[in-house]
Amino acid sequence: MNGVAHAWLIVALMMSGLYIVMASAHLFKKLIGLSVFQVSVFMLYISLGVVEGAAPPIVEPGVDAYSNPLPHVLILTAIVVGIATMALALALLVRIRRAYGTLDEAALAAKDEDA
Amino acid sequence: MSAAWLPVLPVVAPLLAAPLWLVVRRPQVAWWGSMAVGAVAFAAAAALLVTVLRNGPVDYAFGGWPPPIGIAYRIDLLGAFVLVLVSGVSWVVSWAGGRGVEREVDEPRRALFFSAYLLCLAGLSGMVLTGDLFNLFVFLEISSLSTYVLVAAGRDRRALPASFRYLIMGTVGATFVLIGIGLLYAGTGTLNMADLAARLPEAFDRRAVHTGIVFLIVGIAIKAALFPLHHWLPDAYARAPGVVSAFLAATATKVAIYVFIRVVFFVFGAQATLEALAVQHTLTALAAAAVVFGSWAALRQDDTKRLLAYSSVAQIGYIVLGLMLADVAGLQAGLTHLFNHALMKGALFLALVAVVYHGGGQRLSDLAGLGARMPLTAAVIVIGGLSLIGVPLTAGFVGKWLLVEAAAAKGAWWLIAVVVVGSVFALGYVGRMLEALYFRAPAAQGGAGIAEAPLGLLVPALVLAAANLYFGIDTRLSAGLAGRVAAALGGAG
Amino acid sequence: MSVEYGLTLTLLAFMLLAAWALARSDDLLAAVMLAGIISLASAAVFTVMDAVDVAFTEAAVGAGVATLLSVRALGVLGERRAAGRARVGLPFLVVLVCGGLLLYGTADLPAYGDPAAPAMQHVAPHYLARGGVETGVPNIVTAVLASYRGFDTFGELVVIFTAGLGVLTLLAGSGVSGARSEVDAGDRDIIVRQVVKWLVPFVLLFALYVQFHGDYGPGGGFQAGVIFAAGMVLYALTFGLPRLERVLPPSRLRLLAATGVWLYGGVGVACLLRGGAFLDYAVLAEDAVDGQHLGILLVELGVGLTVFSVMVLIYRAFTRQRHGGVE
Amino acid sequence: MSASFDPAWLWLAPAVPLAGALLTPLAARRPALRDAWALVSALGLFVCVAWLAGAWWRAGAPVLRSEGPEWWAGVVLAVHVEPLSMLFASVASLLWVVTTVYSIGYMRANREAHQGRYYFCFALALAATMLVAFAANLVTLFVAYELLTLATYPLVAHKGDERARQGARTYLAILLASSMGLFLPAIVWTHVLAGGTEFVSGGLLAGRLSPAVAAALLSMFVLGVGKAAVMPVHRWLPAAMVAPTPVSALLHAVAVVKAGVFTLCKIVFYIFGPAELAALGAQEAALLLAGFTVVAASLVALRQVEFKRLLAYSTVSQLGYVVMAALLLAPLSRLGAVLHIAAHAFGKITLFFAAGAVYTALHKTRVDELAGVGRRMPWTMAAFTVGALSMIGLPPTAGFVSKWFILAGAMDWQSVFVGTVLVLSTALNAGYFLPIVCRAFFREGDGRGFEEAPWPMVAAITATAALTVGVFAAAGPLIDLARMSVEVSP
């Protein structure tokens, strides 16, 4: 039986990612959590396009059932957006670390209060 | 140039110009070039508005593929109205870019700064024009990524964590939007907004659709900095280079609210969304909280840019309050205030750029005595501040009147009370700025006499201040158009 | 339950385990690796779900580039552990609410693999039935990506460009030019150098294959650009950044990054000039399908160019950073 | 009678002082030119209003209206002239001339700084006052009302020291908060109820109100129009006394406060309609509040030692008369209310002028320092006596005439409350004004000789005192005007 169990697992993974983003005090780890959050959203999308017993959406003679190509296209774009965000965030972290000497949220806030 | 170019130009012109400054790394050239591109985008937007006013909505199918197969623009009066606002204000603000970056952005970053500016403008314009949900996400990300760069481009180290925090919150918001789009797609099989609107009624009892709508709205609310999802805003605005603050305050949150209107009223259908999902009550309560909390927080700030930023949180509350009345009068009020607030905050932040340029800091005490030393800059702050309070003959009055009238017509007395409380607080925080400007002696004995900001900063600030007065008197383009848009929306919702 | 579904569930459970370990771990390098593993596992899930292009990209980007950049950045940051105190209350509440909402929302989703799902009934059938004919490209993902939703892909290209621009802006003027072991890796083992010398041309050849084979199988400009960049990075790792810079000076990389965007946008403008809509490739040639073919080829090339040059630029920017330290 | 008066000319009244204001900065560097220009502006306005009054009178129609541009859908800026407007405009423009003369003397003698800004704001305030006077609907009136607040704020804060800033802060906060918080919502509510905000004979809202709504709306107006200084929104007025005396004299005895009570009269006469209000009985609470203000403010005034603060509380009390008389709704008392706007203006400006003269000549600011001043400054203190008599309501002064009509109205409608308030407050007024007069004339001072203020000030004081007596002597035209205003708003 195919059901929605995959969706439960994906949601659980998604929420782990979100939890890491919100709960971590370390900026770098937040970023890692963000990527987990995004990956699980990608899987949710792709799971929407699966057709039982179908082939990947590359037209071939003799095949008449294909998976839905649209989610694939969207997620290709989303993956690119994800890596772009990550690169930018890492550059920001490099600057923050150099300016403050720490990436811990509480420590950062404390440093600006003295200033 | 044929009319077929018009829908494409506001987005594609800045997109194609932005990479130039990666190759030609001369700040002055980049600035002049960006102003020229901004002018083109604004002219195209204005021409679009005229076209829409004459001939009705404009449809544009990219790649020649008809929607929903391909991506399409659908530019109605609302879109054209917001596009003119966004491209117009960002153009005027960009005039200040040349002098503005001198004191606040290091030399090697200056040319790239203008690239990011253009990309952000293109992203925002794309969000306004597009009729496709996923395309909306893509342009949202273009504008967001470039915004993070702009915020962190300055010299203030505090901008770095502010930008990072914004990046995290913004990405979570964008991902929420993505989840929402996915669930809506799962429920209806389409990404085109008009198509979705047509297919939603039969799919509306699906839970995936409900959840999708909620995620989409929450994601947009983060971008719009609606209380209590506003945490990224005060620091981002306060620490960014001044020109960026002016640009963002005038455009970014406005576009997010525009997207909200588009999605809720055009796509989901106001009735269904607002009532069935209890969205109306929730958002009204949050917006009211935004007004009270934002104004109160603004009152407690010693940093002028943070003060204005918290005031923005409150003003977003006013706009959403109007929208959530969900009738023609309320929508008109919300849209009018959206328009006017862009002018107020643009003028005020630019005036602060001029103050900072002169070596003044951004604390309230740094404004002391500037009424005499920088009379024109101070006048801009006075006009912007009065407009913020909602004094007659300024643009702010028109929006406030319409909001109170819409509330009174619905008998929402408590809402009027909220507006009143917000206005009284606004009186307080604007009053503190004015008092410092005119009736406090400067702390340090600087040179006496007039030391006005350079024209490059003064002119755009004065233009926006004049716009505050102009639209306080001639309301055809602000309240008038907003009324027409609202009437159209009211018919659709 | 089908074997494929079972496999999917197993992989997901495994990923959840990895995420749990990630949440508990204080070690940042371990976190990066765990995230890479999750990403790789997701690529496997994508393959099972028939999304070969996505799997390819996720493996290259999520597991490859992201991990590489993170490790590079960790080196520069000089941070090893996330020692700070975690917040628990609010995040937990938010996660609970969001998760509950999502479970509610996904509960009545069409069953996994259901061919009658709404998403299967509208729009998608058009692509599958007509895509090959209308664009002449058998890989429907490529057809949708480059033509039907070509404007999205243009936007995506701009996003990557923006990221590159952003990294250059943020790290401008803060790099080092002096010789460092990472920067000048001229002392690598002779065997490694010989292997890499032979390997790199094959990597680049493979990239070109991926670039131009995207019409027929998984691949396209994006994947090709990443692989091409990987070849260059491998080269730089072995022979040092200066050697790479002699081949590809930064100014040329910046020009290439811009050129990619201009190429894509230029194709759109060319369509406008020939009387079509923006990115309406059909007007590019006498025959509409020929025009589509040409257009798709050119815009994919644009994507490849920008992705490749931005990736190398970003890698270079991180590599040139001083390690640790405070200003 | 020729009926060839185009009411669009009414826009000229605010335009003249506005032009005066805008040209002031050009003369900022040359004091003589600047002062001359201020005088020319004031005379110009007076001539303008006199001409308008004459033309209006000859045209024979009591109410004439001119619409300006539509502001936004349903909201129009418009001006009109009716007897009450003409009375208010005439009094304000006439006294501006006198005050300008006085100002020149005062500002020069006290070597005040920022005189350019001072005359600029003063002219702007007059422009706003003229627009208040001729506003044909609540929206236009509100615009002018707010402009008046803003234009006078720099005048109150003029000195720029901590005390002045504090006073100005209170001034601005109370006036803007009450107008934004209550006045504006009340106007919008009116707009929603009636679809407009025009001043209409018989009352715009007549027939549209329930007693509860009418009472709520009226309370919002009475408390929202903070310039009328009905307690508890009166605090701005004593706070405003940090301003230079000419400001207190013209603005806080005439233009600003009169704009407040004038606005309330307009609202009672033309928005609610006296007959309608009386039928609904919705004015009782507001009437009690006004009566309370009259007595309470007098009690407070009794305990003041600072000259200008005493006058300020006296003003609060006198404004209470106008509001109370208007709200009593009896035709005679309404006539009295209209008259009292003018009568109090002449009397109170004289008192302020006198206070300013004493400060300029002797640097005294407290009433207990005034012993013997009558001998050193006979002109000033004689004028002061006239003003004081007018406040108390004794002949031969203007105050007597207006109070007479108010009392007659109370008798007419058998209002024990109003009658009692009048008697009580008359006694209190006498209680704090007469001792000052006695101390000035009948106590020994420090024995120094004649020491009057500069001549322009003395001239101005004499002029206003003469006017106060003159109104009593030749009250006919004024009473005619007031009667007309009662007739057009039955």
Side-chain angles (χ1 to χ4, degrees):
Chain A
M1 172 218 91
N2 292 351
V4 290
H6 68 286
W8 300 346
L9 288 172
I10 290 173
V11 168
L13 191 65
M14 210 185 279
M15 289 305 115
S16 327
L18 187 59
Y19 181 80
I20 297 170
V21 175
M22 294 184 67
S24 299
H26 196 274
L27 301 189
F28 187 86
K29 207 170 161 195
K30 276 179 186 291
L31 197 58
I32 299 294
L34 202 58
S35 72
V36 173
F37 182 42
Q38 287 177 317
V39 163
S40 39
V41 176
F42 301 162
M43 285 192 289
L44 181 71
Y45 262 76
I46 298 298
S47 74
L48 297 174
V50 180
V51 172
E52 189 76 54
I58 300 173
V59 177
E60 275 178 76
V63 181
D64 55 357
Y66 300 102
S67 288
N68 186 347
L70 191 50
H72 302 184
V73 174
L74 305 184
I75 290 315
L76 280 175
T77 302
I79 292 174
V80 176
V81 170
I83 187 68
T85 311
M86 178 143 200
L88 200 59
L90 287 173
L92 270 174
L93 287 183
V94 168
R95 292 281 307 282
I96 294 174
R97 165 71 207 219
R98 193 167 295 149
Y100 288 86
T102 178
L103 288 177
D104 186 81
E105 267 207 315
L108 281 174
K111 290 216 170 184
D112 268 335
E113 267 163 30
D114 323 328
Chain B
M1 198 178 294
S2 78
W5 288 65
L6 278 186
V8 183
L9 265 185
V11 178
V12 170
L15 276 189
L16 289 182
L20 268 174
W21 320 138
L22 194 64
V23 181
V24 186
R25 311 233 279 179
R26 303 259 302 277
Q28 283 295 316
V29 178
W31 174 48
W32 281 103
S34 302
M35 285 203 296
V37 175
V40 170
F42 178 50
L48 259 180
L49 179 62
V50 172
T51 312
V52 173
L53 279 171
R54 281 212 194 115
N55 310 332
V58 172
D59 287 296
Y60 190 88
F62 280 91
W65 304 112
I69 303 300
I71 294 170
Y73 277 177
R74 180 175 180 80
I75 307 152
D76 53 12
L77 200 51
L78 173 64
F81 172 72
V82 176
L83 186 71
V84 165
L85 174 72
V86 167
S87 57
V89 176
S90 62
W91 182 47
V92 175
V93 170
S94 77
W95 302 352
R99 288 309 193 109
V101 297
E102 270 175 28
R103 298 283 160 96
E104 299 189 58
V105 180
D106 284 325
E107 213 284 326
R109 300 199 175 96
R110 282 182 203 157
L112 298 178
F113 175 90
F114 290 106
S115 285
Y117 195 97
L118 286 177
L119 288 170
C120 194
L121 172 62
L124 293 172
S125 305
M127 287 169 74
V128 172
L129 293 177
T130 193
D132 186 280
L133 274 183
F134 196 80
N135 195 240
L136 173 77
F137 167 76
V138 172
F139 278 88
L140 170 74
E141 285 291 9
I142 294 177
S143 72
S144 299
L145 287 183
S146 43
T147 304
Y148 310 143
V149 178
L150 288 172
V151 168
R155 289 191 177 133
D156 188 344
R157 74 167 186 177
R158 293 171 297 182
L160 298 168
S163 173
F164 188 82
R165 236 169 273 141
Y166 184 15
L167 182 143
I168 293 287
M169 262 192 105
T171 306
V172 169
T175 309
F176 270 46
V177 169
L178 194 61
I179 295 172
I181 295 171
L183 290 173
L184 286 169
Y185 176 68
T188 60
T190 189
L191 294 168
N192 182 275
M193 292 186 196
D195 194 30
L196 189 63
R199 297 174 68 84
L200 257 186
E202 57 176 294
F204 204 82
D205 52 350
R206 283 178 202 273
R207 290 166 167 203
V209 169
H210 299 175
T211 312
I213 290 173
V214 170
F215 268 82
L216 202 53
I217 289 179
V218 172
I220 296 169
I222 291 180
K223 278 299 182 187
L226 179 63
F227 180 88
L229 302 171
H230 65 279
H231 283 289
W232 57 268
L233 187 144
D235 274 335
Y237 282 18
R239 307 301 173 213
V243 176
V244 176
S245 310
F247 175 46
L248 292 182
T251 58
T253 48
K254 308 293 171 296
V255 170
I257 290 173
Y258 158 82
V259 169
F260 173 81
I261 299 172
R262 186 97 189 262
V263 166
V264 168
F265 288 89
F266 278 124
V267 181
F268 301 158
Q271 216 65 25
T273 318
L274 296 179
E275 283 167 21
L277 301 177
V279 169
Q280 190 171 16
H281 294 300
T282 316
L283 287 187
T284 307
L286 290 180
V291 170
V292 176
F293 164 82
S295 307
W296 179 75
L299 204 53
R300 294 165 48 88
Q301 300 303 318
D302 183 47
D303 180 311
T304 46
K305 279 170 82 179
R306 273 179 82 88
L307 183 155
L308 291 182
Y310 273 109
S311 154
S312 278
V313 173
Q315 307 298 321
I316 290 159
Y318 284 122
I319 297 170
V320 176
L321 274 182
L323 301 180
M324 284 300 107
L325 285 170
D327 55 10
V328 173
L331 282 168
Q332 186 191 13
L335 286 172
T336 307
H337 197 60
L338 182 142
F339 184 92
N340 291 335
H341 180 234
L343 302 177
M344 299 172 203
K345 280 290 152 64
L348 283 167
F349 273 116
L350 278 188
L352 291 185
V353 175
V355 172
V356 171
Y357 185 89
H358 258 281
Q362 52 188 58
R363 294 182 168 280
L364 269 174
S365 53
D366 295 317
L367 293 182
L370 288 188
R373 283 175 57 80
M374 304 176 78
L376 290 173
T377 307
V380 172
I381 298 180
V382 170
I383 293 169
L386 294 181
S387 198
L388 210 47
I389 300 172
V391 169
L393 299 185
T394 63
F397 175 66
V398 184
K400 212 155 260 186
W401 169 285
L402 290 174
L403 184 56
V404 173
E405 187 182 353
K410 271 214 160 178
W413 301 112
W414 69 271
L415 203 152
I416 296 178
V418 168
V419 175
V420 166
V421 169
S423 302
V424 171
F425 283 159
L427 184 61
Y429 60 73
V430 171
R432 289 177 70 200
M433 289 205 287
L434 300 192
E435 208 179 274
L437 278 176
Y438 289 98
F439 300 106
R440 249 205 256 169
Q445 282 301 320
I450 291 176
E452 195 46 92
L455 281 182
L457 294 177
L458 209 50
V459 169
L462 284 171
V463 166
L464 287 177
N468 271 292
L469 294 178
Y470 179 79
F471 288 108
I473 295 162
D474 181 353
T475 63
R476 280 171 301 177
L477 208 60
S478 54
L481 264 188
R484 288 180 62 174
V485 173
L489 280 169
Chain C
M1 183 157 70
S2 68
V3 179
E4 285 169 3
Y5 194 60
L7 190 57
T8 304
L9 293 187
T10 316
L11 280 167
L12 283 171
F14 171 70
M15 290 158 83
L16 207 53
L17 218 66
W20 183 70
L22 202 171
R24 285 178 53 89
S25 167
D26 276 350
D27 189 322
L28 293 176
L29 192 62
V32 171
M33 290 308 161
L34 283 166
I37 286 170
I38 291 176
S39 176
L40 212 51
S42 80
V45 172
F46 293 144
T47 315
V48 175
M49 292 180 174
D50 295 333
V52 278
D53 278 278
V54 179
F56 192 170
T57 311
E58 179 64 35
V61 172
V65 177
T67 310
L68 176 76
L69 282 184
S70 301
V71 172
R72 260 272 165 255
L74 264 188
V76 175
L77 294 171
E79 295 266 309
R80 287 178 176 281
R81 308 200 75 80
R85 246 155 101 77
R87 274 177 302 175
V88 180
L90 181 68
F92 195 71
L93 194 72
V94 170
V95 162
L96 220 58
V97 172
C98 290
L101 200 59
L102 278 172
L103 287 181
Y104 163 87
T106 50
D108 72 346
L109 273 185
Y112 181 81
D114 180 2
M120 248 42 102
Q121 304 304 313
H122 190 55
V123 182
H126 178 97
Y127 296 143
L128 290 168
R130 307 277 311 145
V133 186
E134 285 177 349
T135 64
V137 174
N139 184 353
I140 302 299
V141 172
T142 303
V144 177
L145 189 86
S147 185
Y148 291 109
R149 298 189 66 87
F151 192 56
D152 263 356
T153 309
F154 184 40
E156 167 195 339
L157 185 64
V158 173
V159 167
I160 269 292
F161 177 81
T162 309
L165 179 101
V167 172
L168 291 188
T169 310
L170 289 171
L171 300 181
S174 65
V176 286
S177 47
R180 287 194 57 91
S181 58
E182 274 88 355
V183 178
D184 182 12
D187 54 348
R188 291 259 193 251
D189 188 275
I190 180 81
I191 296 173
V192 175
R193 296 174 67 160
Q194 284 306 315
V195 170
V196 169
K197 212 170 206 170
W198 283 99
L199 196 58
V200 168
F202 283 103
V203 174
L204 300 188
L205 204 61
F206 179 56
L208 289 178
Y209 170 78
V210 172
Q211 170 81 48
F212 295 108
H213 190 64
D215 294 4
Y216 305 100
F222 190 77
Q223 295 92 330
V226 171
I227 296 170
F228 214 94
M232 291 299 161
V233 167
L234 195 59
Y235 187 79
L237 277 173
T238 317
F239 298 101
L241 206 50
R243 281 281 287 273
L244 178 66
E245 286 178 356
R246 237 172 288 153
V247 186
L248 275 173
S251 61
R252 191 166 306 161
L253 282 171
R254 287 197 297 266
L255 182 61
L256 283 178
T259 308
V261 177
W262 288 329
L263 181 56
Y264 204 130
V267 171
V269 173
C271 297
L272 273 177
L273 289 174
R274 293 180 66 97
F278 192 74
L279 297 176
D280 182 0
Y281 314 132
V283 299
L284 289 179
E286 293 293 312
D287 179 58
V289 175
D290 285 351
Q292 288 287 346
H293 229 111
L294 179 62
I296 293 174
L297 185 81
L298 288 175
V299 300
E300 288 275 17
L301 196 60
V303 172
L305 272 180
T306 296
V307 169
F308 153 70
S309 33
V310 164
M311 288 296 164
V312 177
L313 277 173
I314 290 177
Y315 172 80
R316 179 178 170 274
F318 279 109
T319 304
R320 286 166 51 82
Q321 294 305 304
R322 273 173 290 125
H323 286 217
V326 183
E327 270 165 8
Chain D
M1 285 192 188
S2 72
S4 64
F5 175 56
D6 182 355
W9 284 109
L10 291 171
W11 293 101
L12 202 58
V16 167
L18 183 65
L22 294 180
L23 290 172
T24 303
L26 295 184
R29 303 240 171 273
R30 300 176 60 189
L33 184 63
R34 179 196 61 215
D35 292 354
W37 180 244
L39 203 55
V40 167
S41 308
L43 283 169
L45 176 63
F46 179 67
V47 170
C48 169
V49 172
W51 173 71
L52 286 173
W56 167 69
W57 189 258
R58 279 193 303 277
V63 184
L64 288 169
R65 189 179 147 84
S66 164
E67 294 224 337
E70 183 177 54
W71 206 357
W72 61 83
V75 174
V76 183
L77 292 179
V79 289
H80 77 170
V81 56
E82 42 86 48
L84 188 55
S85 335
M86 200 36 102
L87 178 106
F88 179 42
S90 310
V91 169
S93 61
L94 170 63
L95 290 181
W96 189 29
V97 178
V98 184
T99 308
T100 306
V101 174
Y102 181 88
S103 274
I104 294 169
Y106 180 93
M107 296 303 278
R108 290 191 162 196
N110 288 303
R111 294 202 176 79
E112 296 276 350
H114 300 297
Q115 289 198 30
R117 183 175 79 194
Y118 172 86
Y119 286 110
F120 172 79
C121 291
F122 219 123
L124 209 56
L126 259 294
T129 308
M130 287 302 124
L131 194 56
V132 168
F134 291 119
N137 57 33
L138 280 173
V139 175
T140 314
L141 194 149
F142 183 76
V143 170
Y145 180 97
E146 294 296 80
L147 197 61
L148 185 54
T149 308
L150 295 174
T152 48
Y153 166 75
L155 292 172
V156 174
H158 186 85
K159 278 220 153 139
D161 55 10
E162 181 52 39
R163 202 166 140 263
R165 266 187 284 145
Q166 186 63 45
R169 203 181 295 154
T170 312
Y171 179 78
L172 195 65
I174 294 180
L175 284 185
L176 275 186
S178 61
S179 64
M180 287 277 165
L182 291 168
F183 191 18
L184 181 61
I187 294 174
V188 175
W189 195 1
T190 308
H191 185 79
V192 170
L193 286 171
T197 59
E198 287 75 32
F199 297 124
V200 177
S201 293
L204 175 71
L205 290 172
R208 299 176 204 261
L209 295 172
S210 68
V213 170
L217 196 55
L218 184 65
S219 312
M220 281 170 80
F221 275 124
V222 168
L223 293 177
V225 181
K227 292 195 168 89
V230 172
M231 285 182 171
V233 280
H234 67 287
R235 290 287 303 277
W236 61 271
L237 187 52
M241 291 304 129
V242 294
T245 305
V247 174
S248 309
L250 184 63
L251 299 178
H252 302 117
V254 183
V256 174
V257 291
K258 292 301 158 2
V261 289
F262 168 80
T263 301
L264 281 183
C265 285
K266 289 276 257 200
I267 288 168
V268 171
F269 292 5
Y270 298 109
I271 295 295
F272 288 96
E276 176 80 1
L277 261 187
L280 290 168
Q283 82 289 15
E284 296 294 344
L287 181 66
L288 287 177
L289 196 61
F292 169 79
T293 303
V294 171
V295 177
S298 287
L299 282 172
V300 178
L302 207 51
R303 301 180 39 195
Q304 299 300 315
V305 286
E306 209 173 314
F307 207 167
K308 283 175 74 182
R309 280 184 77 85
L310 182 147
L311 292 181
Y313 276 103
S314 156
T315 304
V316 174
S317 165
Q318 298 284 332
L319 295 173
Y321 281 147
V322 179
V323 178
M324 181 177 72
L327 285 175
L328 181 60
L329 303 173
L332 280 176
S333 72
R334 277 157 50 212
L335 199 161
V338 174
L339 279 179
H340 201 65
I341 291 180
H344 174 247
F346 295 131
K348 189 50 71 58
I349 200 171
T350 309
L351 294 176
F352 271 111
F353 280 172
V358 169
Y359 168 73
T360 305
L362 309 176
H363 296 285
K364 294 188 192 295
T365 59
R366 294 163 64 92
V367 286
D368 49 11
E369 300 168 338
L370 295 183
V373 168
R375 297 193 198 152
R376 299 175 62 188
M377 306 178 69
W379 285 95
T380 299
M381 289 320 287
F384 180 88
T385 310
V386 172
L389 291 179
S390 186
M391 290 303 117
I392 303 165
L394 294 176
T397 62
F400 170 74
V401 184
S402 53
K403 231 173 194 176
W404 175 266
F405 279 105
I406 298 174
L407 195 59
M411 302 271 202
D412 208 17
W413 280 33
Q414 296 169 356
S415 171
V416 178
F417 174 70
V418 173
T420 315
V421 167
L422 281 175
V423 170
L424 204 59
S425 86
T426 303
L428 287 168
N429 290 344
Y432 55 81
F433 275 122
L434 291 182
I436 300 176
V437 175
C438 292
R439 191 175 297 140
F441 283 106
F442 305 121
R443 285 266 198 88
E444 277 304 317
D446 45 14
R448 280 197 245 156
F450 181 84
E451 202 169 343
E452 267 293 2
W455 69 264
M457 297 173 72
V458 178
I461 300 170
T462 315
T464 55
L467 278 170
T468 310
V469 179
V471 167
F472 173 80
L478 211 54
I479 294 175
D480 286 345
L481 206 55
R483 183 163 287 134
M484 251 173 91
S485 83
V486 173
E487 278 163 6
V488 296
S489 58

